[in-house]
Amino acid sequence: MSPLVATAIAHPNIALIKYWGNRDHELRIPENGSISFNLDGLYTKTSVRFDPSIEKDTLCINDQIMDGPDLRRVSQFLRYVNEISGKHYFANVISENNFPIAAGIASSAAAFAALSLAATKAAGLNLSEKDLSRIARRGSGSACRSIPEGFVEWRPGRDDEDSFAISIAPPNYWDLVDVIAVVKGKHKSIGSTAGHTFARTSPIQKARVADAPRRLALGREAILQKDFSALAEIVEIDSNLMHAVMMTSNPGLLYWEPATITVMKAVTLWRQSGIPVCYTLDAGPNVHVIVLSSHVTAIKTRILELPGIENILVAPVGGAAKFID
């Protein structure tokens, strides 16, 4: 039998209302819902080749052969695809990114969203967006949000069947742009998967989760009404809450660098001066500066004038994960 091959591309996403902490770690059922938008121009491209002639899975990321935890995580995911497809083959997986990985820019979200599409297609499955989102969630929780297009909400659900993401607005609905201030492009020492398991050790997490429906409602309404002032207020509060949980968990996680705080403080001052801009951070030191597209050039210039900036990435709202030839 000939190999079964497919290739897909997916974007990372930036969460405006955050996911942190799981009710079910194995299935990655979150303790609260979340809202994000996909980052156009940043991508992971992944090819999967199921081949009955090979004897073990292989994983290559950015031309580097991977072993250890990365390969085990991908192999576990592929076994789940084998289980639902009935085709029990090992696979060669080749993946490439055009943005830093494991640095708080949702590289695992893009990776497992692309892997979900490529692996299921290579295995002969033709799945709905909902089911692709559910499967991607198994690999990385936030990957479920990189499956639909544009502005996306992850409905937390109670079990595997009802925890998935949907699009709440298309990419062109609102001209927001994520200007990412990269202050540290290297791998973080503790990844998000481990961090989620620590969340419940924080005395703040229970209050954060209890308040999540209110923050979700405010964030959703701000997007649908294109109300930047309302969005900025709730986005920054939500980001600060997540990082407060990280800092007060056991062990504590402090991802911020000195330049991280410099950017956050600058963004607050810029907004007070009348620029529609706000900040949010994922599990990493890099600052996602959210701004209306008409102010991108000015914000880039201002960020580059700050100390400690390694690079800037600019991403408007992006589309859905998709298959490519």
Side-chain angles (χ1 to χ4, degrees):
M1 182 176 177
S2 60
L4 308 168
V5 183
T7 301
I9 194 167
H11 303 293
N13 64 73
I14 177 60
L16 303 173
I17 306 297
K18 306 292 189 184
Y19 147 58
W20 194 251
N22 291 315
R23 204 169 61 249
D24 184 318
H25 290 298
E26 182 179 352
L27 296 178
R28 288 185 166 85
I29 308 296
E31 289 199 277
N32 64 273
S34 54
I35 294 174
S36 63
F37 67 80
N38 292 339
L39 301 179
D40 194 32
L42 307 183
Y43 66 83
T44 298
K45 182 174 76 170
T46 299
S47 296
V48 174
R49 177 176 175 264
F50 284 114
D51 191 336
S53 69
I54 63 174
E55 298 180 351
K56 64 177 183 177
D57 295 322
T58 63
L59 173 63
C60 179
I61 301 177
N62 294 334
D63 297 322
Q64 181 178 353
I65 301 299
M66 309 300 291
D67 206 343
D70 293 319
L71 177 59
R72 287 195 295 272
R73 187 174 175 184
V74 167
S75 289
Q76 182 181 18
F77 184 84
L78 293 172
R79 297 294 76 78
Y80 176 64
V81 173
N82 285 159
E83 181 183 319
I84 59 179
S85 70
K87 295 183 175 69
H88 298 283
Y89 306 140
F90 292 109
N92 298 132
V93 179
I94 300 174
S95 188
E96 61 182 67
N97 298 65
N98 72 341
F99 63 96
I101 63 174
I105 313 179
S107 56
S108 63
F112 278 96
L115 182 61
S116 299
L117 265 69
T120 55
K121 186 172 184 179
L125 298 169
N126 183 21
L127 301 179
S128 67
E129 183 175 90
K130 171 186 173 181
D131 286 337
L132 286 167
S133 178
R134 288 175 48 246
I135 289 171
R137 189 200 72 236
R138 293 275 198 123
S140 170
S142 55
C144 75
R145 297 193 310 251
S146 283
I147 298 292
E149 68 170 0
F151 296 88
V152 175
E153 180 168 354
W154 179 5
R155 295 175 173 174
R158 302 297 300 180
D159 55 37
D160 184 45
E161 287 297 318
D162 63 2
S163 183
F164 59 93
I166 61 166
S167 175
I168 59 173
N172 61 357
Y173 182 77
W174 194 12
D175 58 345
L176 297 186
V177 177
D178 185 3
V179 181
I180 306 169
V182 180
V183 304
K184 191 175 182 180
K186 297 179 181 178
H187 277 55
K188 55 197 179 189
S189 57
I190 299 179
S192 299
T193 297
H196 286 295
T197 67
F198 306 150
R200 289 187 181 181
T201 67
S202 167
I204 299 172
Q205 175 70 348
K206 185 176 289 186
R208 178 189 160 274
V209 170
D211 185 60
R214 181 189 71 88
R215 300 193 309 278
L216 283 163
L218 289 171
R220 187 188 310 115
E221 185 67 10
I223 291 168
L224 296 179
Q225 297 299 322
K226 303 179 185 178
D227 184 339
F228 195 93
S229 178
L231 183 73
E233 181 178 358
I234 199 62
V235 162
E236 290 187 358
I237 288 172
D238 190 84
S239 178
N240 292 344
L241 267 173
M242 183 181 76
H243 281 268
V245 168
M246 293 173 177
M247 293 176 196
T248 55
S249 66
N250 186 15
L253 302 175
L254 179 56
Y255 287 117
W256 296 355
E257 297 289 334
T260 303
I261 300 171
T262 298
V263 176
M264 293 162 66
K265 286 186 171 182
V267 167
T268 302
L269 292 174
W270 298 339
R271 187 167 67 256
Q272 290 173 356
S273 73
I275 300 174
V277 64
C278 66
Y279 69 78
T280 186
L281 289 86
D282 277 345
N286 301 313
V287 185
H288 296 256
V289 180
I290 311 301
V291 63
L292 291 176
S293 62
S294 56
H295 294 269
V296 167
T297 301
I299 288 300
K300 284 175 59 180
T301 300
R302 291 182 181 223
I303 291 173
L304 287 171
E305 291 172 348
L306 299 174
I309 304 300
E310 290 186 2
N311 190 20
I312 286 182
L313 303 173
V314 178
V317 185
K322 63 183 180 181
F323 300 110
I324 59 175
D325 293 333

